[in-house]
Amino acid sequence: MLRRELAEKIKNSVYDWAKQYPHVEISRVEVYPSGFDDDVDVIVVAKKGFENWPKIARQIDIADFIGKQLGDAIAVKIPILHAFTEEQYEKYETTGDGAFV
């Protein structure tokens, strides 16, 4: 089960990451248990700043930053990290556990 403290640390790391990029405005960060151990899935939605940034590049940048922020002290894997513009996010419907349908 995902610990609340871990979810908050991940969310805070995403907001810290965004501070490096003044053009990025985060509108939502969601952290869900992936179903495996302490692994989590993360969704980051930006109101602005992702439009001209390739999705894979922004996802890697965020994941690397989270890894550095959390360090080795916290063993967590993020098998899925989506970094959406608001328009991209609106194209997806999610279930209560964050799984895309």
Side-chain angles (χ1 to χ4, degrees):
M1 178 173 245
L2 179 64
R3 297 183 316 268
R4 182 173 298 200
E5 305 86 37
L6 177 59
E8 287 304 313
K9 285 181 182 183
I10 292 170
K11 287 180 183 181
N12 290 336
S13 290
V14 172
Y15 286 107
D16 288 345
W17 167 85
K19 290 176 185 175
Q20 304 176 91
Y21 302 101
H23 65 284
V24 173
E25 184 179 334
I26 301 295
S27 59
R28 140 184 272 149
V29 178
E30 300 175 9
V31 180
Y32 298 101
S34 72
F36 298 101
D37 301 320
D38 281 336
D39 296 0
V40 297
D41 296 338
V42 178
I43 297 173
V44 179
V45 182
K47 185 173 187 172
K48 64 178 187 172
F50 283 176
E51 303 82 9
N52 297 314
W53 192 351
K55 187 176 179 195
I56 190 69
R58 58 190 186 231
Q59 290 173 173
I60 290 170
D61 200 60
I62 296 168
D64 287 348
F65 188 87
I66 292 171
K68 289 175 187 170
Q69 287 281 93
L70 298 181
D72 295 329
I74 299 174
V76 64
K77 292 181 184 159
I78 302 173
I80 297 174
L81 188 150
H82 289 289
F84 293 123
T85 63
E86 287 188 333
E87 293 77 25
Q88 290 168 331
Y89 183 71
E90 288 173 7
K91 291 180 184 176
Y92 292 89
E93 291 181 12
T94 59
T95 63
D97 65 357
F100 289 109
V101 293

